[in-house]
Amino acid sequence: MDIKRNVLSAGGLAVSAGQEMGLSETARQADSVVRAKRKKSLTQNAGLAAFLFGVITAALTVSQSASENSAVYLVMFLAACFSVMLAAYRFHYIAVVTGALQTLIYAVYVLYAAIGGGKEIVLMDYLWLFLPILCIASMTLFMTNMRQVEQMSDMLEGQLQRMELVDPVTGLSNLRCMYMELERRLAYARRNDVEVSLIIFQLRYYRELKSILTAPQMAELKRRMGRVVEETLRLEDRVYAIDDEGSLGVVCIGCGAEGAVIVKNRLSALLTQPESYEGIVDRLLRVDVRAGVSTYNKEEISNVIEFKQKAENELQYDV
């Protein structure tokens, strides 16, 4: 018995080592994202500074302009704000075209007023040839770099989700972890002729329960199920949360078909006791489960997916 536990501990250490390797790779990628973000932060800050400079300069020209120019500058300022808004919402090409068209129209108007009306061109008139493009370009630069950082963050978040080994609701190891550990336990079973059984518990009427219970109550129901099974199992057996519908997988080491059926019946009785879910709602909650059992046979089962599929096939016979 001690030898078996030592070997199982070694298997657990191997799984932990594999997890640590995956986590270290994710950590390196996270560090790469952080470094890239720091490099781009300078560009973002420069774009934001240029944008603020352009907006402040434009506001000053409107406030300090002569009465005959204030209306024109105000229209230019509002048109520039519209183009900047387009750039902020990442319609970059439309924003640039709008800004260029605004500048072209303004330049034609100033030249016409100077040539045809004899109006003097002042310094502020020249500023409005560049301010719209400056504001649009700086906002486009800022949002482009921010988008790249968001994409890297999304990529990292997706990789972290794929590396998750714990169910967030129940706190139990998830299906990915079960496959990883079951692979090693089956390899050990093949070498040492140790019996391994897999029991899967599935909630009956999950959709009906979900429609009756609130989300927090449903989460508490799943936690109670996991706790009941975890507190009943032996030290060497493991329980896993294998989907989002409250299904549980139990791996029993050194347990043959007859022993697995005994474990299944005992756990099924506990999982269907209304007292196990007392306090979730203001009345006794009745929960029904189906259970399927599969005992590993190296002649019939070649991998962990087939092992799990065989246990799931037995669920249909539990009526």
Side-chain angles (χ1 to χ4, degrees):
M1 192 66 178
D2 293 337
I3 295 175
K4 184 191 298 183
R5 290 189 177 183
N6 290 336
V7 174
L8 290 176
S9 299
L13 290 173
V15 174
S16 299
Q19 296 174 5
E20 289 178 0
M21 289 178 63
L23 291 175
S24 64
E25 176 63 25
T26 303
R28 285 196 295 270
Q29 293 178 355
D31 184 61
S32 175
V33 170
V34 171
R35 288 198 302 268
K37 185 176 180 180
R38 288 174 179 173
K39 291 178 181 178
K40 293 181 180 299
S41 64
L42 180 60
T43 306
Q44 284 183 314
N45 292 336
L48 182 59
F51 171 73
L52 292 176
F53 172 78
V55 170
I56 293 172
T57 304
L60 289 175
T61 60
V62 174
S63 63
Q64 300 298 322
S65 62
S67 58
E68 64 271 14
N69 293 330
S70 58
V72 177
Y73 294 164
L74 181 60
V75 171
M76 289 293 292
F77 180 75
L78 294 176
C81 288
F82 174 74
S83 299
V84 167
M85 184 176 65
L86 290 176
Y89 282 98
R90 298 193 174 95
F91 296 104
H92 297 155
Y93 295 111
I94 299 177
V96 171
V97 171
T98 304
L101 184 62
Q102 172 190 351
T103 303
L104 177 62
I105 294 173
Y106 173 74
V108 172
Y109 168 78
V110 171
L111 288 175
Y112 175 80
I115 298 173
K119 180 185 174 183
E120 182 183 0
I121 300 177
V122 297
L123 177 61
M124 290 184 182
D125 293 332
Y126 289 108
L127 286 177
W128 277 106
L129 293 173
F130 305 100
L131 285 177
I133 297 300
L134 173 64
C135 293
I136 295 169
S138 58
M139 178 56 69
T140 301
L141 178 64
F142 178 79
M143 296 305 298
T144 300
N145 283 277
M146 180 170 287
R147 178 58 179 167
Q148 292 174 353
V149 172
E150 289 175 355
Q151 289 175 341
M152 289 187 290
S153 298
D154 291 341
M155 177 190 68
L156 179 60
E157 183 179 356
Q159 291 177 346
L160 287 174
Q161 289 177 349
R162 290 192 293 271
M163 290 295 297
E164 283 182 353
L165 298 175
V166 176
D167 178 69
V169 175
T170 62
L172 300 173
S173 300
N174 61 13
L175 180 62
R176 180 184 299 275
C177 186
M178 187 183 83
Y179 280 147
M180 293 173 60
E181 295 193 11
L182 198 56
E183 186 72 40
R184 290 164 175 79
R185 296 195 178 198
L186 293 187
Y188 171 74
R190 287 192 295 268
R191 292 193 302 268
N192 298 276
D193 293 325
V194 176
E195 293 180 307
V196 178
S197 294
L198 174 63
I199 310 171
I200 292 180
F201 294 96
Q202 189 178 79
L203 272 173
R204 296 183 191 267
Y205 319 120
Y206 171 76
R207 292 182 180 178
E208 288 76 6
L209 282 172
K210 189 176 180 181
S211 65
I212 295 172
L213 302 177
T214 63
Q217 289 172 340
M218 197 67 202
E220 180 61 24
L221 172 65
K222 295 177 183 178
R223 283 191 288 268
R224 294 278 186 94
M225 291 180 63
R227 190 184 310 156
V228 166
V229 175
E230 199 170 28
E231 291 176 352
T232 308
L233 292 177
R234 302 174 300 169
L235 179 64
E236 58 267 31
D237 299 333
R238 295 290 304 276
V239 57
Y240 304 88
I242 59 175
D243 62 24
D244 296 330
E245 299 184 356
S247 301
L248 300 173
V250 177
V251 178
C252 299
I253 305 300
C255 184
E258 294 182 0
V261 170
I262 294 173
V263 174
K264 182 201 78 169
N265 293 335
R266 183 170 70 249
L267 291 176
S268 295
L270 291 172
L271 288 172
T272 53
Q273 284 184 356
E275 292 79 8
S276 300
Y277 310 100
E278 188 175 359
I280 295 180
V281 292
D282 55 1
R283 62 188 184 279
L284 288 179
L285 181 65
R286 179 172 178 79
V287 175
D288 291 328
V289 296
R290 294 188 301 174
V293 181
S294 175
T295 301
Y296 178 65
N297 184 334
K298 62 183 179 182
E299 303 297 332
E300 300 177 358
I301 300 173
S302 60
N303 55 63
V304 293
I305 297 178
E306 289 183 6
F307 193 22
K308 176 176 175 288
Q309 187 63 53
K310 188 176 180 182
E312 288 177 335
N313 292 339
E314 295 297 319
L315 290 170
Q316 60 185 323
Y317 301 112
D318 187 6
V319 295

